[in-house]
Amino acid sequence: MTTSWTVTRVLRDRNAGLYLASVVVSGFGTSALWLASGVWVKDLTGSNGLAALCMLAMWAPTLAGPALGTIADRVRRKPLLIATELILAVLLLTLCTVDSPGRLWLLFAVLFVYGIAGVVQYAASSALVAAAIGPDLLGDFNGLRMTANEGMKLVAPLTGAALYAAYGGASVAVLDAISCVCGAGLCALLRVREEQPVPTGEGWRKETADGVRHLWGQPGLRALVQAGGTTMLFGALSSTMTYAVVDRLGHSPAYAGVLYAVQGVGSVAVGLVSGPGLRWLGERRFAAAGIGLVAVAVAARAVPSDAAALVSAAAIGLGLPCVLIAAFTAVQSGTPGPLLGRATATANTLMFAPNVLGLAVGAGLVELAGPGLLLPFYGLGLLAAAASLATSAQHADSASRAAARSGSDANAA
């Protein structure tokens, strides 16, 4: 009942339904290209290192998130979203000429621009959604957005791989270009009134700093973003142990695909209940509960059992998105519109940059120690993050009650 009500609440709102459809369409093309690009490079060069650079090219612009988010605050967000989708569609079609190692520079260049556009689009879309739909729908919408993204990650890579095997990399690029055009069309149908942003007369650096200062100056937002970054760090460290876990269970490396699929199903499921969860628990408690679940699941991966591995994968999928949904919902509801692009992009960088660090450090640690030692340690780190966030929520509630009592006493006097 709760799940169907969440979906109904969002889809009943025209703007929310349209934008969610654009997320599904664009996300399908992006996820298909994500896998196919690495296979494309591997086929042309035989190099695992160059194939891995595809992901780096798409992720690297995240580090410049605060500066890139400023773009979303300088222009109207709806035209910006439409323009970036159409520009990407044109650039993707140029990949039809990549047929030899000598032209791979074009693929990497397009992927890098794709990553830049993704950062700008996320900042602009978060700000646009906050203006286009009611604040009471933000939690439900962000949860369903997570469900849509994770659902595409389960389906689209397989589609992209099949298309690549049958017709080559150019066909996947064309598919993604079509998805960008469709996404632009759906964004064009949104009914939202935007005023042209008023130039502040300040430099780019000052405007970027204003967004960072606002985010870090709000105790509630700061606590959620810090918890999100910590969770992504330990989550990445845990993920580097996946093949060691699979090896200890006596399975082939392909079994990791089963664990990732189970985790993806968990992430799809939590998006459907995140709206009611946020309303019931509040943002910080909802996030803390999710982090706590991930902490137990990560530690449980140390148990050499298929059942433990599968249940832990599902629990990680359920818990990991909670802090991300809570943090971005809090940023949207607690940030003035003119600052929202910068604040969202800054939060995105602070929460996802530790993921890169965790992958790099974890790749080294997995060679030094086994899952039985490292995974419980990672679980303790996550448990500490959950406890800290829950404590901050309790302190905030106590401060609110004290302020309410003071106000009542003053009125009585």
Side-chain angles (χ1 to χ4, degrees), residues 68-91:
L68 291 173
T70 304
I71 299 173
D73 289 335
R74 286 191 163 197
V75 298
R76 290 187 296 135
R77 280 78 179 245
K78 179 180 169 180
L80 177 61
L81 286 172
I82 296 171
T84 51
E85 290 279 23
L86 295 178
I87 290 171
L88 284 178
V90 173
L91 289 176

Side-chain angles (χ1 to χ4, degrees), residues 29 32-34 36-37 40 92 159-161 163-164 168-177:
L33 183 68
W34 166 72
S37 61
W40 200 347
L92 285 164
T159 304
L163 197 60
Y164 177 88
S171 63
V172 183
V174 171
L175 171 67
D176 197 6

Side-chain angles (χ1 to χ4, degrees), residues 95-196:
L95 297 184
C96 294
T97 65
V98 177
D99 56 4
S100 67
R103 295 194 66 83
L104 279 179
W105 66 268
L106 180 59
L107 175 60
F108 288 119
V110 170
L111 292 176
F112 185 71
V113 175
Y114 206 114
I116 292 173
V119 175
V120 174
Q121 284 179 317
Y122 195 87
S125 64
S126 293
L128 186 64
V129 163
I133 68 176
D136 59 319
L137 275 181
L138 284 177
D140 297 278
F141 177 85
N142 287 332
L144 287 182
R145 181 177 184 167
M146 179 69 70
T147 293
N149 281 330
E150 294 301 321
M152 288 304 99
K153 290 177 185 177
L154 293 175
V155 178
L158 297 177
T159 304
L163 197 60
Y164 177 88
Y167 303 106
S171 63
V172 183
V174 171
L175 171 67
D176 197 6
I178 293 172
S179 77
C180 287
V181 173
C182 292
L186 289 166
C187 283
L189 295 175
L190 292 171
R191 294 174 183 169
V192 55
R193 180 171 184 151
E194 292 186 279
E195 300 293 338
Q196 182 67 34

Side-chain angles (χ1 to χ4, degrees), residues 393-408:
Q394 186 175 359
H395 289 164
D397 289 345
S398 298
S400 297
R401 286 194 294 269
R405 283 196 300 269
S406 299
S408 298

Side-chain angles (χ1 to χ4, degrees), residues 243-256 259 305-307 309-310:
Y243 289 102
V245 169
V246 169
D247 186 56
R248 196 162 65 146
L249 293 175
H251 295 293
S252 71
Y255 187 73
L259 297 181
S305 159
D306 282 306
L310 291 169

Side-chain angles (χ1 to χ4, degrees), residues 31-369:
S31 296
L33 183 68
W34 166 72
L35 176 65
S37 61
V39 180
W40 200 347
V41 172
K42 173 70 173 175
D43 280 350
L44 288 176
T45 66
S47 170
N48 291 323
L50 287 175
L53 283 179
C54 292
M55 282 300 296
L56 178 62
M58 295 182 76
W59 270 98
T62 303
L63 300 176
L68 291 173
T70 304
I71 299 173
D73 289 335
R74 286 191 163 197
V75 298
R76 290 187 296 135
R77 280 78 179 245
K78 179 180 169 180
L80 177 61
L81 286 172
I82 296 171
T84 51
E85 290 279 23
L86 295 178
I87 290 171
L88 284 178
V90 173
L91 289 176
L92 285 164
L93 292 178
T94 67
L95 297 184
C96 294
T97 65
V98 177
D99 56 4
S100 67
R103 295 194 66 83
L104 279 179
W105 66 268
L106 180 59
L107 175 60
F108 288 119
V110 170
L111 292 176
F112 185 71
V113 175
Y114 206 114
I116 292 173
V119 175
V120 174
Q121 284 179 317
Y122 195 87
S125 64
S126 293
L128 186 64
V129 163
I133 68 176
D136 59 319
L137 275 181
L138 284 177
D140 297 278
F141 177 85
N142 287 332
L144 287 182
R145 181 177 184 167
M146 179 69 70
T147 293
N149 281 330
E150 294 301 321
M152 288 304 99
K153 290 177 185 177
L154 293 175
V155 178
L158 297 177
T159 304
L163 197 60
Y164 177 88
Y167 303 106
S171 63
V172 183
V174 171
L175 171 67
D176 197 6
I178 293 172
S179 77
C180 287
V181 173
C182 292
L186 289 166
C187 283
L189 295 175
L190 292 171
R191 294 174 183 169
V192 55
R193 180 171 184 151
E194 292 186 279
E195 300 293 338
Q196 182 67 34
V198 178
T200 62
E202 300 174 337
W204 197 286
R205 182 180 298 179
K206 176 65 166 58
E207 290 185 2
T208 299
D210 287 343
V212 175
R213 193 177 299 113
H214 166 79
L215 185 70
W216 214 244
Q218 304 292 321
L221 298 183
R222 184 172 66 245
L224 280 166
V225 171
Q226 286 177 325
T230 303
T231 302
M232 295 305 293
L233 171 64
F234 282 104
L237 288 168
S238 171
S239 71
T240 61
M241 303 297 299
T242 297
Y243 289 102
V245 169
V246 169
D247 186 56
R248 196 162 65 146
L249 293 175
H251 295 293
S252 71
Y255 187 73
V258 176
L259 297 181
Y260 284 128
V262 171
Q263 181 174 328
V265 170
S267 296
V268 169
V270 75
L272 298 172
V273 298
S274 61
L278 286 167
R279 285 189 290 274
W280 181 40
L281 295 173
E283 287 145 352
R284 278 184 268 189
R285 285 195 174 88
F286 178 73
I291 299 170
L293 179 61
V294 175
V296 174
V298 165
R301 297 182 77 201
V303 178
S305 159
D306 282 306
L310 291 169
V311 172
S312 295
I316 291 171
L318 283 168
L320 194 61
C322 292
V323 65
L324 303 178
I325 295 170
F328 284 120
T329 300
V331 170
Q332 286 174 310
S333 59
T335 304
L339 282 172
L340 194 45
R342 285 163 280 177
T344 298
T346 300
N348 191 58
T349 295
L350 291 175
M351 287 193 288
F352 284 102
N355 185 60
V356 179
L357 175 63
L359 291 173
V361 174
L365 290 176
V366 72
E367 300 295 335
L368 302 176

